[in-house]
Amino acid sequence: MRTYSFLTVLLWSCMFHAIQMMPSEKRTNKHSRSERITGLSENDGKTLHRTKRGWMWNQFFLLEEYTGPDTQYVGKLHTDQDKGDGNLKYILTGDGAGSLFIIDENTGDIHAAKKLDREEKSLYVLRAKAIDRKTGRQVEPESEFIIKIHDINDNEPKFTKDMYTASIPEMAGVGTSVIQVTATDADDANYGNSAKVVYSILQGQPYFSVDPETGIIKTALPDMSRENREQYQVVIQAKDMGGQMGGLSGTTTVNITLTDVNDNPPRFPQSTYQFTSPESAPPGTPLGRIKANDPDVGENAEIEYSISNGDGSDMFDIVTDKDTQEGIITVKKHLDFENKMLYTLRVEATNTHPDPRFLQLGPFKDTALVKISVEDIDEPPVFSRPWYLIEVDEDTKEGSIIGQVVAQDPDITKNAIKYSVDRHTDLDRIFNIYSGNGSLFISKPLDREETPWHNITVIATEINNPKQTSQIPVFIRILDINDHAPEFAKYYETFVCENAKAGQLIQTVSAVDKDEPPRGHKFFFELVPEFALHPNFSIVDNKDNTAGIMTRRNGYSRSKMSTYLLPIIIFDNDYPIQSSTGTLTIRVCACDSRGNMQSCNAEALLLPAGLSTGALVAILLCIIILLLVVLFTALKRQRKKEPLIISKDDVRDNIVTYNDEGGGEEDTQAFDIGALRNPEAREESKMRRDVIPETIFQIRRTAPVWENIDVQDFIHRRLKENDSDPAAPPYDSLATYAYEGNDSIANSLSSLESLTTEGNQDYDYLSDWGPRFKKLADMYGGEDSDRD
């Protein structure tokens, strides 16, 4: 089978060259040259032949934007197999086939059905076929070719932005770049000058210029001032065809703003300002505002105000309002109309951010004069001090003046002042004040220990204007005097062990004093003079406001003395010296070998250690039974005694009982063992009852015995006295040491011994004993007595 092939499309460079050489003539390119390719087939080894055939057309380019009455002819397809008998059919496929490009299937002529735009699509790729109508087979393989749209100058230059915005500092030099504008042309830049753009300035001269090739806008005038003109509108044109006539053009607008620089100093609109202030204005009170004008803006217009000099620079101050850039004049110290009525200040306004480039224009500051007048007002009284401190002794007499406060009217009128005490600060009315001169005096006694400080408030009031008042604190300190005696710091629980040794410390005592001497407390401790040489205990002053209680002998017995009372005198060291006597109670306790207290009750000695409750109950029962036996025996003996009254007639039924027994005997201490501990009773000189009073011996007086002496010591001392007494009775005689008082003047009133009297007893003396013995006198002393 014979194989045919289409002639491939010529290269683009060849087509462009052919168009330029023959722009209007119809050209036919026919290649009849055949190439014979010889090769050995793997199957049969036959020789293969390939014949190249070519298409035929008239032109390769189309003009865009064609506006003719007929469709624009593109070219013609033709193959060597076409004999002109209509057996072949031409088919066109690819970009725009059937819509933009239409082919005559019989002749192969191709036409453009619509107007084409190169800027929309610059080339189209098409494919062509030649088909046998009868068999439907391709007589030539499908071939591809390109149709390129030829450009015309149908697009004007367009800027990338419709409007540009730019800024440049004022006072910039000539030629300073502002902004670059850019315009593009959709036409083919490679074909002619359709896309060659040139820039020019239509509006904005003579301030700005534009580079025709780059579109860079530059300043054209020197020293442009923002304060004179801030906004500029510049119109730039871009024209193609290299700016030649007939070219298309486009424009854009550039808004240029001059930014501010600090090229203007602040200036006060006036040279002098006037303000007034009442003298009562407190520090910080604003009096007025001043403002220096600066045509600059932003931080270039920021101003700092200050007082450069003047006679009121220490009385007033000025601060800057950051929002309004104003200077606010304020009061710095309290004003006094009576002292000064007019102040003059020189205020300076300075830029805070000067630009070094413009310092040669002059100093960037300005000054103005400010005059401030002080207005007089009625002021309250003023005390001579901010507060008063008064010291007074606590023993100061009532009515004594302790101090004085002074206030006066600061106004020119000098109104009279009266004084008073704020009773809310002196509820007890301890202090008072003379309203005329402000002298403070005491109305009630003072006590430093109760209230060491008094804080009162004194009020000063103008007599002519009571609304004008002032207050002042007065601190009154009460000075201490030594009017309290020292005393024990606490109650001491003191004990001494039965097995204590002599010289052993059993208690350390200290003292307190409500007074506060300036040199501090100093206390001294001593025993009372009567017991300065106590046989049991002693006191040692430690010289540090404490004292130690020491034992003076070995061993103490709870059975003999369970408690000792030790009186101690405490002295202070201030003037006048105060002292007090405190009694220390010392208990005798049983202790272990280490000195730890175990028991301090004397009753515990009566009970053997380790007895149980049952054993104790048994002992008590035995004691009760023994008491009952003794009682029974006594009653039995009583029955055996004879009657006390022996008479022929039994008058027991006539016995009258009297509850009033009279005064009784004067011996009230006969059976009082307390007499053993009564020093006066023990030391009296008494006659020995067991010795015949032939010779009266003078009883020796012994040394005084103190209150807390043991009974055992007393008895031992008496035994020793009797042993050394030559008039003492034999050792087997009984000596009585109790003192039972004096004899009764009535002697014995008992009738038990009446029967032993031989004669009639005379009871007339009963009538002399008073009304208490009247009944007995009537019974025994009358003629109708029982004895008669």
Side-chain angles (χ1 to χ4, degrees), residues 323-592:
D323 297 329
T324 62
Q325 297 301 314
E326 293 178 314
I328 305 174
I329 298 176
T330 60
V331 178
K332 187 177 182 180
K333 295 182 179 180
H334 287 286
L335 304 175
D336 187 0
F337 172 82
E338 291 72 23
N339 186 27
K340 190 174 181 62
M341 295 179 288
L342 179 64
Y343 293 91
T344 302
L345 308 175
R346 185 166 295 277
V347 178
E348 185 178 88
T350 308
N351 276 140
T352 57
H353 301 282
D355 194 331
R357 296 176 298 173
F358 306 103
L359 293 179
Q360 71 276 3
L361 299 180
F364 281 76
K365 60 183 179 181
D366 194 16
T367 59
L369 201 64
V370 178
K371 296 182 178 181
I372 301 176
S373 300
V374 180
E375 296 179 347
D376 185 28
I377 62 171
D378 190 6
E379 297 176 276
V382 177
F383 284 92
S384 60
R385 301 179 188 175
W387 47 271
Y388 289 86
L389 173 62
I390 299 175
E391 295 183 343
V392 57
D393 293 332
E394 63 177 323
D395 61 344
T396 303
K397 302 295 184 180
E398 297 178 22
S400 300
I401 294 177
I402 61 175
Q404 183 181 20
V405 297
V406 178
Q408 62 180 358
D409 184 10
D411 299 320
I412 298 178
T413 56
K414 301 296 181 183
N415 292 326
I417 305 297
K418 65 177 181 179
Y419 303 89
S420 61
V421 175
D422 185 357
R423 290 306 172 187
H424 294 90
T425 61
D426 185 24
L427 298 177
D428 296 332
R429 296 182 176 270
I430 299 176
F431 303 95
N432 212 331
I433 192 171
Y434 290 108
S435 61
N437 58 11
S439 297
L440 286 165
F441 62 92
I442 301 174
S443 299
K444 293 182 178 180
L446 303 176
D447 187 357
R448 189 205 64 85
E449 286 70 33
E450 180 180 352
T451 307
W453 283 90
H454 295 272
N455 302 327
I456 66 174
T457 299
V458 175
I459 303 173
T461 306
E462 291 185 11
I463 296 178
N464 295 336
N465 187 4
K467 294 182 179 180
Q468 297 295 335
T469 62
S470 296
Q471 296 182 350
I472 196 73
V474 179
F475 307 105
I476 302 174
R477 179 183 180 185
I478 309 303
L479 300 179
D480 184 41
I481 62 170
N482 194 23
D483 58 344
H484 289 84
E487 56 189 15
F488 280 132
K490 62 179 182 179
Y491 176 76
Y492 292 98
E493 293 283 347
T494 307
F495 70 94
V496 61
C497 296
E498 288 184 306
N499 57 355
K501 303 298 182 181
Q504 181 177 334
L505 176 67
I506 62 172
Q507 181 68 62
T508 300
V509 296
S510 61
V512 293
D513 194 337
K514 295 181 179 179
D515 297 319
E516 290 185 0
R519 295 184 300 275
H521 290 292
K522 182 63 178 177
F523 301 124
F524 302 95
F525 301 86
E526 295 179 1
L527 294 177
V528 295
E530 294 82 358
F531 306 138
L533 296 177
H534 198 288
N536 298 309
F537 304 100
S538 64
I539 186 169
V540 176
D541 196 332
N542 297 327
K543 308 302 181 181
D544 60 352
N545 293 339
T546 63
I549 307 302
M550 312 293 291
T551 58
R552 294 196 64 183
R553 64 186 178 87
N554 297 329
Y556 295 84
S557 175
R558 282 181 293 164
S559 60
K560 299 176 183 178
M561 179 67 71
S562 62
T563 303
Y564 294 92
L565 300 179
L566 186 65
I568 299 174
I569 302 177
I570 309 174
F571 301 89
D572 59 18
N573 194 32
D574 205 357
Y575 180 82
I577 294 177
Q578 299 287 344
S579 65
S580 67
T581 301
T583 301
L584 192 66
T585 301
I586 304 175
R587 295 185 299 161
V588 181
C589 301
C591 303
D592 57 14

Side-chain angles (χ1 to χ4, degrees), residues 663-675 739-743:
E665 298 180 359
E666 293 182 3
D667 184 4
T668 58
Q669 300 179 355
F671 302 98
D672 186 7
I673 196 169
Y739 174 67
E740 298 181 358
N742 298 326
D743 295 339

Side-chain angles (χ1 to χ4, degrees), residues 38-48:
T38 303
L40 202 57
S41 174
E42 295 179 0
N43 297 327
D44 52 8
K46 295 180 180 180
T47 302
L48 301 178

